[in-house]
Amino acid sequence: MSLEPTPARIAHALREQIITGELAMGSKLNEREIAERLEVSRIPVREALPILESEGFITSQPRRGAVVHILTVTDAMEVFDLRRQLEPMASAFAARRAQAGADVGPMLAALQSAHGGSISDAQSDAPPSTRNSDLHEEIIALADHALLRRVTKLMSGRVRWLFRLTPQRDTAAMWVEHREIVDAIVAGQADVAELLTAAHVERGRIESMPLLEARLPSEAPATKVRRRRATPAAPAPAPAAES
């Protein structure tokens, strides 16, 4: 008998449905419907929603409840701003750890997967954007920096979301950039890995932003507030008859 899924597992399932577009931006999340679809009770669903809200995947709106966040151009720019600062740092840390003898096997396996080689059954259905995200996260894992990992965890979901919105960028040229970054990390060349990653992220910004600007609103649409119907005024009492 399997245990009931935890709120974290439910959050993971909903997060993936949001990233893939199965749950559309702006759509309302109904606890009862989610519970029925995932075959769980409503309690863990209710506990999973704050996890997604803390990650920026949903927002709570008055009278509507939980709604899938509508990504904006500003959101995308902010993700690239953070990536530009954090990912080069992660690559440098990863290179120093590789030089010290850390296991680079998982990162090399993720690189092979991102390039379409040696894909396991679990990865066979994953699109290139997902496998590319996996590689970036393996580099962060290799960096083994606790605070960096906590900060990037909040960012990684948004990165995966944006990658899925720009499949045009899954090209051979990007895979070459990945190979150069990984080669520098394996060789323990921290400065080179840092510079290559910075250039990779910046090139991604230049190529992705026009695509995202064509798909995303510049700002989130204003929340519609229902107006309460005015209660008809009670008729004035008839004047008393004179005696």
Side-chain angles (χ1 to χ4, degrees), residues 77-198:
M77 291 173 61
E78 289 180 351
V79 168
F80 277 106
D81 288 342
L82 281 182
R83 290 188 64 206
R84 176 63 179 78
Q85 299 301 317
L86 299 179
E87 290 191 21
M89 185 189 304
S91 291
F93 287 154
R96 293 188 184 102
R97 290 202 67 243
Q99 189 175 38
D103 181 13
V104 298
M107 179 183 65
L108 292 175
L111 176 67
Q112 274 193 320
S113 175
H115 290 199
S118 302
I119 303 175
S120 67
D121 291 339
Q123 295 170 314
S124 60
D125 294 332
S129 61
T130 296
R131 288 182 263 126
N132 289 333
S133 296
D134 291 343
L135 172 59
H136 285 271
E137 291 181 13
E138 282 297 340
I139 292 173
I140 292 169
L142 177 59
D144 195 30
H145 190 290
L147 185 56
L148 178 63
R149 186 181 297 189
R150 288 186 66 182
V151 173
T152 54
K153 184 177 180 181
L154 291 174
M155 179 183 72
S156 64
R158 289 273 179 111
V159 172
R160 288 177 177 270
W161 204 356
L162 292 179
F163 278 9
R164 282 299 285 259
L165 293 173
T166 54
Q168 305 95 317
R169 292 205 57 249
D170 299 320
T171 63
M174 186 169 63
W175 297 338
V176 170
E177 293 174 19
H178 284 159
R179 165 61 73 181
E180 291 174 344
I181 292 168
V182 169
D183 284 348
I185 291 173
V186 172
Q189 299 170 341
D191 290 344
V192 175
E194 184 174 7
L195 290 171
L196 288 172
T197 303

Side-chain angles (χ1 to χ4, degrees), residues 225-241:
V225 180
R226 287 185 179 180
R227 293 185 177 180
R228 297 179 63 183
R229 285 184 182 176
T231 304

